[in-house]
């Protein structure tokens, strides 16, 4: 489990987006089970855009859809900024792939 630094933890704790599982926003809330946990969608990047709220079922249970979690996170990111700061990762390509996968099913990010 990745530890979130205190300054980021305090900042996201005040964000209403972080209060409920992201799956509730797309009508899959009936599946939700357990408390809301904060997941690092794209590995160990400790930045606000990369930390998303998911219930235990969607984080560590059978409801985990890691690509959807990554989709939500990358839609919250500033791709231009990521490309400058982390040029070895193909951020634009990742976002294009995830958007194609989830938006074709008419799933849009809500935040």
């Amino acid at each position: 489990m990745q530890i979130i630094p205190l300054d980021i933890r305090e900042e996201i704790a005040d964000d209403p987006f972080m209060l409920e599982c992201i799956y509730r926003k797309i009508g899959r809330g009936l599946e939700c089970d357990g408390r809301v946990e904060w997941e690092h969608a794209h590995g160990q990047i400790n930045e606000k855009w990369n930390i998303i709220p998911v219930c235990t079922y969607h984080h560590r249970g059978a409801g985990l859809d890691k690509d959807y979690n990554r989709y939500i996170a990358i839609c919250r990111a500033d791709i231009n900024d990521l490309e400058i700061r982390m040029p070895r990762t193909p951020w634009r390509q990742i976002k294009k792939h995830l958007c194609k996968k989830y938006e074709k099913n008419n799933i849009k990010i809500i935040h």
Side-chain angles (χ1 to χ4, degrees):
M1 178 188 305
Q2 177 72 19
I3 297 177
I4 301 170
L6 185 59
D7 61 330
I8 295 173
R9 181 177 292 277
E10 289 174 350
E11 183 180 355
I12 64 178
D14 291 333
D15 184 348
F17 174 78
M18 300 301 289
L19 297 178
E20 72 175 349
C21 180
I22 59 172
Y23 290 85
R24 288 188 181 275
K25 295 170 178 60
I26 61 168
R28 289 176 49 191
L30 295 177
E31 299 173 343
C32 290
D33 186 34
R35 66 182 179 86
V36 171
E37 302 173 345
W38 293 341
E39 181 195 13
H40 289 80
H42 292 270
Q44 299 179 5
I45 301 169
N46 266 321
E47 297 181 12
K48 184 177 176 180
W49 68 268
N50 188 47
I51 301 168
I52 59 163
V54 286
C55 68
T56 303
Y57 174 77
H58 288 112
H59 185 204
R60 295 183 278 147
L64 175 64
D65 181 348
K66 190 67 174 175
D67 274 353
Y68 182 70
N69 296 355
R70 289 181 180 132
Y71 164 69
I72 294 297
I74 205 158
C75 286
R76 300 177 72 220
D78 178 341
I79 295 298
N80 295 326
D81 177 60
L82 293 180
E83 287 180 325
I84 292 167
R85 292 185 303 110
M86 298 178 236
R88 292 185 177 192
T89 303
W91 294 110
R92 203 167 297 276
Q93 183 180 353
I94 292 168
K95 183 174 183 174
K96 181 179 178 183
H97 165 73
L98 293 171
C99 286
K100 185 175 181 181
K101 180 176 182 177
Y102 289 99
E103 291 175 5
K104 74 175 183 178
N105 294 320
N106 217 16
I107 296 174
K108 303 267 188 205
I109 183 167
I110 301 168
H111 59 96

